Amino acid sequence: MTTFLENYFRLKEHNTDVRKEILAGITTFMTMAYILAVNPGILSAAGMDAGAVFTATALGACIGTVLMALFSNYPFALAPGMGLNAFFAYTVVGQMGYSWQVALAAVFVEGIIFIILSLTKVRSALFNAIPPALKVGVTSGIGLFITFIGLENAKIVVSGPTLVGLYPFKAAFADGTFWSTGIGALLALIGILLTAVMLAKKVPGGILLGIIITWGLGMLCELTGIYVPDPKLGMFSVMPSFANGIAIPSLAPTFMQLDFSAIFTFNFVTIMLSFMFVDLFDTLGTLIGVASKANMLDKNGRLPKIEGALLADSIATTGGALLGTSTVTTFVESSAGVAAGGRSGLTSITVAVLFFLSLFFAPIFLAIPAFATAPALVIVGFLMVSSLLNVDFNDMTEAIPAFIAAVAMPFMYSISEGIAMGVISYVVINLLSGAHRMKQISGVIYILAIIFVLKYIYV
């Protein structure tokens, strides 16, 4: 068996071995397994069945990661992407009012288009057409957005006289709600600090451990009566239930539940374009970034066999929509496995096997409360916001559009609005300042700006 794996994945050629690859796969899984707890929580806000979403998340990650190994032999893992799931639940469904079935249809169509584009070099060409400042601005904006969602879900941030404010601990203590929402908010704050310390100390799987520790503290508080579940306040028991054994949650509530009734509307097109825009450079940026850490790029800074990696990503997105989850994409946490020595598709296969095995632990993952996943959202948001450091703040024609894209997302509570504002401001600022004469701005950006302007006029 060992010989087969060495030959199939060309381990000696990549200066690695079976043991190193398996350990790298375990490392990658540990750093991204939080998605199994976070994704059902986010998509259930759109009205989707949490159990079905959990199963779709695990299967989508498993299938996509296997395809990555087979098509490219790279140590990259896939799962439903952070930010993309927030856009799905809070913007498309929550803000724009579409059903989650329509949102799944948009993800499916996006995946089909990307499959076609991935069979050529169009997708990578489109990626290169987007200004680096906008890529960074959107990535940072998504980070701010999911951070805000994490703080909101944990009740740390609540609505108030100034639109939003800190959870009123003193008032909650007086009316008795402190022992449910207040304790949850406190535990989330503790979890954020603990997770930050673990990341500072470079503890493997620090984000997942942050979720587990915060959840463990929640169970301890519930057992001692400090935390009192109150469904009316959205605070439920944190104790896992094994009443139905370890049965895998049914996919039936979300499987093949796509609604194409809005496919010919302008809004559907803008939704699909927003999914495509984020997924486009999220995937390519992750591939290039992680590959560079593993010295996999060629002398021109390009990733060999990138078409195979992109095809795996596209098929996984399409399959994920059919299963019932938001866009499946390549995870930047794959860099953890690369840092541990992963250099081939065997690392990816290991991750896929672990995602499959996680299906049998559904009661555990589904019992994890929102205040325990909040630290993951906040810390992942921080990691995404840090990309803003790559913007040249001395060049106002680049920095201001990036800034506008970043701040528009949390303040307008919409990823698509942030993308639109970023693109429009980039074109307007560069045109009116005359800076476009010194740059090679792709026609794709001008077309996107026109589409987004038309959206505000007619929609």
Side-chain angles (χ1 to χ4, degrees), residues 45-247:
M48 300 179 73
D49 180 84
V53 172
F54 168 82
T55 302
T57 300
L59 288 178
C62 178
I63 294 169
T65 307
V66 167
L67 291 176
M68 179 65 74
L70 298 179
F71 289 175
S72 69
N73 195 29
Y74 284 139
F76 306 143
L78 291 80
M82 293 294 295
L84 287 159
N85 53 7
F87 174 64
F88 182 107
Y90 297 102
T91 299
V92 178
V93 177
Q95 189 181 65
M96 301 179 73
Y98 285 98
S99 68
W100 57 264
Q101 292 90 338
V102 170
L104 282 179
V107 173
F108 178 81
V109 173
E110 174 222 342
I112 292 295
I113 292 173
F114 271 163
I115 288 175
I116 296 171
L117 297 181
S118 297
L119 292 173
T120 64
K121 295 186 177 181
V122 175
R123 190 175 178 185
S124 55
L126 285 173
F127 173 76
N128 293 330
I130 300 169
L134 280 185
K135 296 174 188 174
V136 170
V138 171
T139 300
S140 301
I142 292 173
L144 290 171
F145 186 59
I146 64 175
T147 295
F148 185 71
I149 289 171
L151 295 173
E152 183 183 34
N153 288 348
K155 307 293 193 296
I156 296 172
V157 170
V158 295
S159 60
T162 57
L163 294 182
V164 293
L166 179 67
Y167 177 80
F169 288 99
K170 185 177 180 180
F173 192 83
D175 64 22
T177 58
F178 172 81
W179 303 107
S180 53
T181 52
I183 292 297
L186 277 178
L187 290 174
L189 288 170
I190 292 170
I192 292 169
L193 294 175
L194 288 174
T195 306
V197 170
M198 286 188 285
L199 258 65
K201 295 178 72 66
K202 295 181 170 57
V203 176
I207 294 177
L208 179 62
L209 285 175
I211 292 176
I212 294 172
I213 292 171
T214 308
W215 180 35
L217 291 173
M219 287 192 285
L220 183 62
C221 288
E222 184 172 341
L223 288 172
T224 56
I226 297 174
Y227 170 71
V228 181
D230 189 342
K232 292 181 181 178
L233 297 173
M235 307 302 290
F236 303 93
S237 172
V238 300
M239 309 302 291
S241 173
F242 292 93
N244 298 320
I246 56 172

Side-chain angles (χ1 to χ4, degrees), residues 5-7 49 58 123 125 172 182 197 263 284 287 306 324 387 448 459:
L5 293 175
E6 288 179 345
N7 293 333
D49 180 84
R123 190 175 178 185
V197 170
I263 193 170
L284 283 161
L287 287 173
I306 191 172
S387 64
L448 283 174
V459 177

Side-chain angles (χ1 to χ4, degrees), residues 387-400 402-403:
S387 64
L388 204 59
L389 295 172
N390 296 319
V391 173
D392 180 7
F393 281 90
N394 292 316
D395 184 350
M396 298 301 169
T397 63
E398 296 289 317
I400 292 178
F403 174 75

Side-chain angles (χ1 to χ4, degrees), residues 22 97 110 129 223 226 266 313 317 338 350 359-360 376 425 442 456:
I22 291 176
E110 174 222 342
L223 288 172
I226 297 174
F266 194 83
D313 183 275
T317 290
V338 167
T350 303
L359 286 168
F360 300 97
S425 64
S442 170
Y456 288 121

Side-chain angles (χ1 to χ4, degrees), residues 5-18 20-21 69 72-76 291 294-297 303-305 338 340-347:
L5 293 175
E6 288 179 345
N7 293 333
Y8 186 85
F9 293 105
R10 305 197 303 277
L11 301 186
K12 290 183 179 179
E13 180 183 328
H14 293 93
N15 194 30
T16 185
D17 55 52
V18 173
K20 189 182 291 184
E21 291 292 299
S72 69
N73 195 29
Y74 284 139
F76 306 143
N295 296 318
M296 292 178 176
L297 302 180
L303 181 63
K305 297 182 295 184
V338 167
R343 291 295 183 273
S344 78
L346 182 55
T347 294

